[in-house]
Amino acid sequence: MSSAPREPVRFVDLAAQQARIRDRVDAAVKRVFDHGQYIMGPEVAELEAQLSAHCGAAHAIACSSGTDALAMVLMAKDVRPGQAIFCPAFTFVATAEVVAWLGAHVWFVDVDADTFNMDPTSLEVAIAAARAAGHAPVGIIPVDLFGIPADYDRISQIAAREGLWVLGDAAQSYGARYHNRQVGTLAMATATSFFPAKPLGAYGDGGAVFTDDAELAATLRSILFHGKGANQYDNVRVGMTGRIDTVQAAILIEKLAIFDDEIEARNRIASRYSDLLKGHIATPKVPAGLQSVWAQYTVKLPEGADRAAIQAHMKDLGVPTAVYYPKPLHRQDAYSHHGVAGGELPVTDMLSACVLSLPMHPYLDEETQDRVADALISAM
Ligand SMILES: *Cc1c(COP(=O)(O)O)cnc(C)c1O
């Protein structure tokens, strides 16, 4: 009856979250301004202690970004030219980028059509192909895409058999659960990101590494501070500027306080989306025993659907959508010379053509969820 134009839906609504915690964030930032320890202030150690208690990893090392978190682990493992590292092709570029930084070979692995995560069978094909090419396999970087943990049981078995380490790329999955274990405890080391739009986001860049290995933790703390030894003017290895800002740590402490509640909300919203869309489209599947943090809620359009037209129609109805990822990494100019398991990655290519991510954040009310679902159904 009302003909007033409705405001467009927000894909991620950081403003709603901010309204909830603004007073506490203001107070936390003010405390940092008052003590003035902008680098490695007390909030950094406090955030690390809280993260470690939250996920159960013995060590949490906060750092400058998710990309740097991945890179620092590779530096700590002394990754170098001639070595091979395995990662999915259906991911954000940072996963493979850090391997290329160090001059090692990337081997792209296909993914599972339901979870969008690394396919262990394709991983085995890639490892054999890398050895046949004369490369030295050293490590695997599974990605917990859209918030669902990868198949760590099977990947760890393959890693153990082949003598490889596992570094989890949990940039999208911090807070997720895998058979009663938390992300952060599922691999030799786990990297996450606090980019603002990630489930646990700062108001700027940030990241963390989780590990139970005390020696690796100490090496990472050295690398993130220019390879410091006894002090910052004692340089025992080549490092980088990998620290998190104290202000971001202070903000993250306030965000972590509401994070479990937000994860519950994301799960409620995702399951309601799935109820509304059931029978209309292929909705996300979370394997039994796992809990996602729903960094994205991503559907698969039917074969032959005109994705661009569907997106345009939904946009006209005020519903934004996104495609993660339209061009897989093995087809990117910067990475197309790297190895590909079995020579082609059919599931990765299929998904790149048909995925569509819907608005997802913890503050989507039911009316807005209905509007998103209706827009998608009408667009199809
Ligand atoms: C966001 C993201 C990263 C990089 O994190 P930044 O904090 O932006 O550097 C790495 N891997 C995946 C899968 C991501 O989604």
Side-chain angles (χ1 to χ4, degrees), residues 153-164:
D153 283 344
R154 280 185 68 199
I155 291 168
S156 303
Q157 268 170 21
I158 294 167
R161 195 183 67 218
E162 301 283 346
L164 312 178

Side-chain angles (χ1 to χ4, degrees), residues 65-67 70 91-92 94-95 143 169 171-172 193-195 198 206 325:
S65 72
T67 306
L70 291 165
T91 178
F92 181 62
T95 315
V143 178
D169 181 343
Q172 302 180 10
S193 164
F194 303 131
F195 184 83
K198 306 281 165 149
Y325 297 90

Side-chain angles (χ1 to χ4, degrees), residues 54-55 117 142-150 152 167-178 181-186 190-194 197-200 210 259-260 263 266-267 290-296 325:
H54 183 255
C55 75
N117 282 333
V143 178
D144 305 339
L145 205 73
F146 305 150
I148 301 179
Y152 285 95
L167 162 60
D169 181 343
Q172 302 180 10
S173 67
Y174 183 72
R177 283 211 290 270
Y178 183 87
R181 291 157 70 199
Q182 291 279 139
V183 162
T185 64
L186 306 173
T190 305
T192 197
S193 164
F194 303 131
K198 306 281 165 149
L200 180 59
F210 303 96
F259 186 50
D260 287 343
I263 293 173
R266 286 175 182 274
N267 274 281
L290 275 58
Q291 192 195 59
S292 178
V293 288
W294 300 102
Q296 303 294 339
Y325 297 90

Side-chain angles (χ1 to χ4, degrees), residues 301 305-316 321 356 375 379-380:
L301 298 176
D306 182 345
R307 183 168 59 188
I310 289 170
Q311 288 189 276
H313 184 101
M314 292 178 73
K315 186 162 182 249
D316 285 344
T321 55
L356 186 69
M380 295 197 314

Side-chain angles (χ1 to χ4, degrees), residues 120-153:
T121 305
S122 176
L123 171 63
E124 290 181 309
V125 171
I127 294 170
R131 290 199 203 284
H135 303 168
V138 291
I140 306 167
I141 312 182
V143 178
D144 305 339
L145 205 73
F146 305 150
I148 301 179
D151 190 349
Y152 285 95
D153 283 344

